[in-house]
Amino acid sequence: MKMIFLGPPGAGKGTLAVKAVEILEVPQISTGGIFRAAVAVQSPLGLKVKEIMDAGKLVDDDTTIALVKERLAQDDVKKGYILDGFPRTIPQAEALATFSNVEKVINFDIPDEGVIERLGGRRVCRKCGFNFHAKFTPTSKEGICDHCGGEVYIRDDDRPEAIKKRLEVYRAQTAPLIDYYRNKGLLLDIDARPMIDEIVVNFKKAMGL
Ligand code: AP5
Ligand code: MG
């Protein structure tokens, strides 16, 4: 299954993707995750995107498209993939259509208050990237990842100003993709407000599994 997880920042795309990877047995490809890994090792890509990400803006289309095109040429995606956070603009979606046939797009439906609460409490493992939440899914030991023992930190783009900017960018540049994919008959809406276990059940139902 070749699919896209589409939705505002903090909707829970990454959290559901971790579960969906096991259900569908296809890899998760998170453009945000790839950019964060590049920032962590201070590669040329990382140096280029750090400021843009911290400000809550989008990395330019050419850079992002080239990265995804290269990733989708690898062998492990033959059976399918979950694109988490790509495409985020109409030009990205149009480019994607030239090198891969997407079969389904999951649209995460959640109001701004939900996003702000989720991003405000998000805690991320520096080592394995797992997402916790200070209130909903806290780590057992303060600041330490339950899965790998890594250090748990707050993402630089989870500051209030950056969250506000990301929501604006989402509305202006990414939300138009909802109609773009609905018109192609690929969109499945999912209520992203419940806790994760309920969302997993709804996701399976929506997928006919
Ligand atoms: P990216 O990493 O994709 O960030 P984002 O879209 O802003 O989304 P998030 O990762 O913040 O949210 P999420 O939906 O994955 O939520 P999560 O599961 O973590 O991108 C970062 C940046 O990279 C962008 O701003 C941009 O600069 C750049 N970039 C990336 N892709 C790009 C592209 N295509 N083009 C250009 N630039 C690009 O959940 C959030 C929190 O809520 C967590 O704490 C989690 O534990 C909690 N939570 C999740 N689900 C639930 C639930 N059901 N109940 C309770 N708590 C929950
Ligand atoms: Mg994410």
Side-chain angles (χ1 to χ4, degrees), residues 14 84 122 155:
D84 164 11
R122 176 162 56 191
R155 265 170 54 174

Side-chain angles (χ1 to χ4, degrees), residues 38-89:
V39 170
V41 298
Q42 301 188 352
S43 69
L45 174 68
L47 296 174
K48 177 169 153 185
V49 301
K50 180 169 179 9
E51 258 182 57
I52 300 171
M53 292 176 76
D54 287 356
K57 296 179 189 161
L58 291 183
V59 175
D60 67 276
D61 283 339
D62 288 351
T63 302
T64 311
I65 291 164
L67 189 108
V68 173
K69 190 171 180 186
E70 198 185 313
R71 181 64 186 86
L72 291 189
Q74 290 173 18
D75 279 344
D76 65 327
V77 300
K78 292 244 158 65
K79 231 185 99 189
Y81 52 74
I82 296 167
L83 280 177
D84 164 11
F86 181 93
R88 257 178 158 91
T89 64

Side-chain angles (χ1 to χ4, degrees), residues 123-132 139-141 143-153:
R123 303 291 182 268
V124 185
C125 175
R126 220 180 264 291
K127 204 163 138 201
C128 74
F130 194 88
N131 285 340
F132 297 89
T139 53
S140 309
K141 274 191 222 151
I144 298 183
C145 176
D146 287 8
H147 303 287
C148 74
E151 180 208 355
V152 169
Y153 78 112

